[in-house]
Amino acid sequence: MGITLNMRKMAYLTEGITYRELARKGELFFDRICEDPAVGFTDLPEQLIYLDHSDEALNRLPAGMETLYVLGIGGSALGTSMLLRAFPDSCRRRVVVVDNVDSDTIHRLLNEMEPEKSVLNVISKSGSTVEPLSLFSAFFAHLAEKLGEKEAFRRVVVTTDIKKGALRQLAEEKGLISLSIPNNVGGRFSVLTPVGLFPAMFAGIDPVHLLLGAKREKREGRGRAVCGAVLDYLSQEQNRNIKVLFPYCDRLKTFGDWYLQLFAESLGKLKNRRGMVVRSGQTGVVAVGVTDQHSQLQLYKEGPGDKSFFFFTVKEQKDVPIPAVFDNYSSFEVLRGKAFGELMQAEAEGTMQSLERNSLPVFEYQLEKLDGETLGALIFMFEMQTAITGYLMNVNPFDQPGVEEGKLIARKLLES
Ligand code: PA5
């Protein structure tokens, strides 16, 4: 699986601060979080039952289904987007994540939908979020109009809380295929429940490797999660208010999006656990290498020194040579005998060194390769790291009062 956290020149972050003391605390928090029955994401790597449930749900669908529409938002959508983007070669069936209520998009998707071959997976932990509920209403009505209600209901999979909420009630009353999200797993920590497992399996991605990687990371990755948490904590202490994720890998782009939500909702808090106003958290940004070297790097290198940088490089990638067709022209010469992998590595190293020359803190996650086990490990590592950072900062990483308030106001506006 192979993930190495390369600390590079970490002195910029740790000067004058007892890193060791924070790491010791972080280790205690790791154990405490794993043992806390109220925190469910740490149990998921061992929970094969959700694979079985997802498999049963797949088997109950009518034959010949080609497209799955995932109707969810935030933690109910971003994990699936991450998996689909990371493993395009495994996807034999289409999964469309609909995570916005933009009528142009909805109109286009409904127009192109093939009802006989389509399944709706409405996902909402609370069962009360207006976005997935409205999308479900629109997509279901479309299916029912074309196929009749009975056939439409056969093409619905509901993923929601085991007991509570309108979706659970609907699933039970109509006898729909349904999957459960454990009570102690919050939306943004739920990708290794049926929230992410079922759409992955529909597409053709084998989620067993994700769970294996997560399990191994839980067993062996304590030092890495703690180290990442301490770095995030120190970055914030030093007013580095922006965390830039720089994956040098297109397949990790939506991993970045998934992580930013995890990071933002878990650590961006008005008050700490003692009720004091702290306004904690860093703003996360995803920049994809090399593409964003040519859009954001100038600012990162020479603009405000308020950022910390986390690079992701992948050693083993498909070997695509750069053919020497034009190397009698001067600018092409440097490419002679090279492959795209080497070009990517050189660009990543060049960018890291150039940021370091301006005394900016740079860290690198070196991945041997990007397979299911590695992604599973990254998922567990970053969930754990985020939780530990929250504990170091003394904020609750598992609530999201700001999001809830916005949801309530929107509901009130709709009611008036
Ligand atoms: O992490 C979270 O809790 C949120 O991002 C939720 O996933 C998001 O608000 C959607 O909520 P729900 O799954 O209840 O519809």
Side-chain angles (χ1 to χ4, degrees):
M1 159 175 111
I3 303 173
T4 308
L5 173 53
N6 179 357
M7 305 290 278
R8 297 182 70 95
K9 301 180 181 173
M10 69 175 289
Y12 302 125
L13 262 184
T14 54
E15 260 164 42
I17 297 185
T18 48
Y19 177 89
R20 215 176 270 276
E21 177 63 14
L22 287 167
R24 202 187 51 77
K25 272 194 193 168
E27 282 168 11
L28 294 177
F29 289 145
F30 184 104
D31 296 339
R32 195 190 293 175
I33 292 163
C34 281
E35 282 157 20
D36 186 347
V39 180
F41 81 88
T42 56
D43 299 329
L44 297 175
E46 289 100 18
Q47 297 285 335
L48 300 183
I49 185 115
Y50 297 116
L51 287 180
D52 296 342
H53 289 171
S54 300
D55 197 40
E56 279 163 27
L58 274 181
N59 289 330
R60 285 182 59 194
L61 290 173
M65 296 299 106
E66 287 179 5
T67 305
L68 179 78
Y69 292 89
V70 169
L71 312 173
I73 197 163
S76 294
L78 285 158
T80 297
S81 299
M82 161 172 69
L83 301 179
L84 296 173
R85 176 85 183 223
F87 304 116
D89 296 343
S90 305
C91 295
R92 293 186 301 275
R93 292 197 284 189
R94 193 164 158 248
V95 176
V96 182
V97 178
V98 194
D99 64 351
N100 202 355
V101 288
D102 181 320
S103 28
D104 278 346
T105 309
I106 296 163
H107 187 259
R108 179 176 52 77
L109 289 174
L110 291 178
N111 262 346
E112 67 175 33
M113 184 195 247
E114 293 185 275
E116 318 75 48
K117 301 176 188 166
S118 297
V119 181
L120 310 181
N121 182 196
V122 55
I123 309 181
S124 174
K125 167 90 192 287
S126 59
S128 61
T129 309
V130 288
E131 294 88 347
L133 297 189
S134 59
L135 290 166
F136 181 46
S137 306
F139 280 69
F140 180 78
H142 188 76
L143 274 193
E145 190 195 321
K146 305 284 173 196
L147 307 173
E149 229 182 46
K150 191 166 165 232
E151 274 306 303
F153 274 133
R154 289 180 69 214
R155 288 162 171 75
V156 172
V157 178
V158 174
T159 307
T160 190
D161 187 87
I162 193 157
K163 285 199 195 118
K164 292 183 291 200
L167 280 179
R168 175 56 58 201
Q169 193 189 344
L170 177 78
E172 271 165 26
E173 282 177 15
K174 302 285 179 191
L176 305 180
I177 305 172
S178 72
L179 292 161
S180 307
I181 309 171
N183 194 271
N184 56 2
V185 177
R188 57 191 175 273
F189 291 87
S190 69
V191 59
L192 298 181
T193 72
V195 168
L197 299 178
F198 176 75
M201 286 165 86
F202 182 93
I205 298 167
D206 182 356
V208 172
H209 300 290
L210 294 170
L211 294 181
L212 284 175
K215 192 169 163 183
R216 187 167 335 156
E217 192 61 20
K218 179 177 170 183
R219 206 173 52 232
E220 297 169 8
R222 187 166 81 154
R224 230 181 336 245
V226 167
C227 181
V230 172
L231 295 178
D232 283 345
Y233 177 84
L234 290 175
S235 296
Q236 196 178 301
E237 289 286 290
Q238 297 181 5
N239 294 323
R240 295 191 187 276
N241 292 326
I242 299 177
K243 173 169 182 170
V244 181
L245 289 196
F246 229 134
Y248 272 67
C249 173
D250 282 339
R251 292 198 286 138
L252 283 176
K253 183 174 187 322
T254 48
F255 161 76
D257 298 337
W258 168 83
Y259 174 60
L260 291 192
Q261 187 224 5
L262 178 72
F263 187 68
E265 288 194 358
S266 303
L267 302 178
K269 299 289 151 82
L270 178 63
K271 293 184 181 170
N272 68 11
R273 288 194 196 258
R274 290 203 203 108
M276 289 158 64
V277 173
V278 286
R279 288 203 168 272
S280 65
Q282 290 171 287
T283 301
V285 179
V286 184
V288 175
V290 301
T291 311
D292 291 323
Q293 278 177 214
H294 296 267
S295 63
Q296 301 170 23
L297 187 57
Q298 172 62 30
L299 170 79
Y300 294 161
K301 189 170 158 57
E302 298 188 3
D306 54 357
K307 303 172 190 65
S308 49
F309 297 89
F310 291 80
F311 283 69
F312 293 75
T313 54
V314 185
K315 269 198 193 154
E316 210 178 284
Q317 289 193 309
K318 287 206 179 76
D319 196 23
V320 181
I322 303 169
V325 275
F326 302 118
D327 61 356
N328 50 340
Y329 292 89
S330 58
S331 298
F332 286 84
E333 268 169 33
V334 68
L335 302 172
R336 188 180 302 144
K338 299 286 185 297
F340 280 100
E342 283 172 275
L343 177 58
M344 191 72 137
Q345 292 288 350
E347 300 230 29
E349 187 56 40
T351 306
M352 287 189 269
Q353 286 189 21
S354 106
L355 290 169
E356 283 167 343
R357 279 187 195 171
N358 279 19
S359 304
L360 295 160
V362 171
F363 305 93
E364 180 189 7
Y365 288 96
Q366 293 172 320
L367 315 181
E368 258 335 292
K369 56 183 167 188
L370 181 55
D371 56 7
E373 286 199 30
T374 307
L375 189 65
L378 286 175
I379 290 170
F380 187 83
M381 183 207 315
F382 281 104
E383 288 178 343
M384 187 45 112
Q385 173 178 319
T386 305
I388 297 171
T389 312
Y391 279 51
L392 288 172
M393 286 162 36
N394 200 24
V395 298
N396 181 355
F398 302 117
D399 67 1
Q400 56 287 323
V403 185
E404 304 301 344
E405 191 180 8
K407 284 184 183 181
L408 282 177
I409 296 173
R411 252 185 192 279
K412 287 222 170 86
L413 288 173
L414 284 172
E415 278 160 14
S416 61

